Amino acid sequence: MSLSAERKLEVIKEHAIKAGDTGSPEVQVAVLSERINGLTDHFKAHKKDNHSRRGLLKMVSQRRRLLDYLKTTDKARYESLIGKLGLRR
């Protein structure tokens, strides 16, 4: 369900704009997407886990807000991020 420390560092390094970047919208969206994918797999086995489903919905809405912010501030960064993460099929 949650990310291991090593996997989280890989995701951060992969999407960081500069060294030590953990707060940019790209990094935050990438980490949230990784956690969302993990929870999605969890719900295939545990269909009635409604408490965790609430957390998933909160993460999805947080990612949506970050993507909306990025879309309004810098369209090119937004499009490259959704292409890299495979969102908006």
Side-chain angles (χ1 to χ4, degrees):
M1 283 198 285
S2 71
L3 289 177
S4 66
E6 295 85 22
R7 179 64 187 141
K8 187 173 181 179
L9 286 174
E10 287 174 18
V11 171
I12 289 171
K13 191 182 293 185
E14 198 174 303
H15 294 281
I17 296 173
K18 59 184 178 184
D21 178 22
T22 57
S24 69
E26 290 92 343
V27 172
Q28 291 181 38
V29 168
V31 170
L32 281 171
S33 295
E34 224 19 70
R35 291 183 66 198
I36 288 168
N37 291 338
L39 272 175
T40 303
D41 294 338
H42 168 77
F43 288 125
K44 289 178 183 169
H46 304 91
K47 294 181 184 353
K48 295 185 178 183
D49 187 2
N50 291 317
H51 293 296
S52 296
R53 193 173 307 275
R54 180 178 183 268
L56 172 71
L57 292 175
K58 286 178 72 171
M59 282 188 260
V60 169
S61 61
Q62 176 68 29
R63 181 177 70 175
R64 176 76 257 153
R65 285 193 305 266
L66 285 166
L67 284 170
D68 286 343
Y69 165 76
L70 196 56
K71 188 176 183 179
T72 57
T73 56
D74 193 348
K75 188 91 168 167
R77 282 172 53 194
Y78 168 77
E79 290 175 359
S80 71
L81 180 64
I82 62 172
K84 211 187 287 186
L85 293 175
L87 303 175
R88 310 279 160 258
R89 298 168 201 204

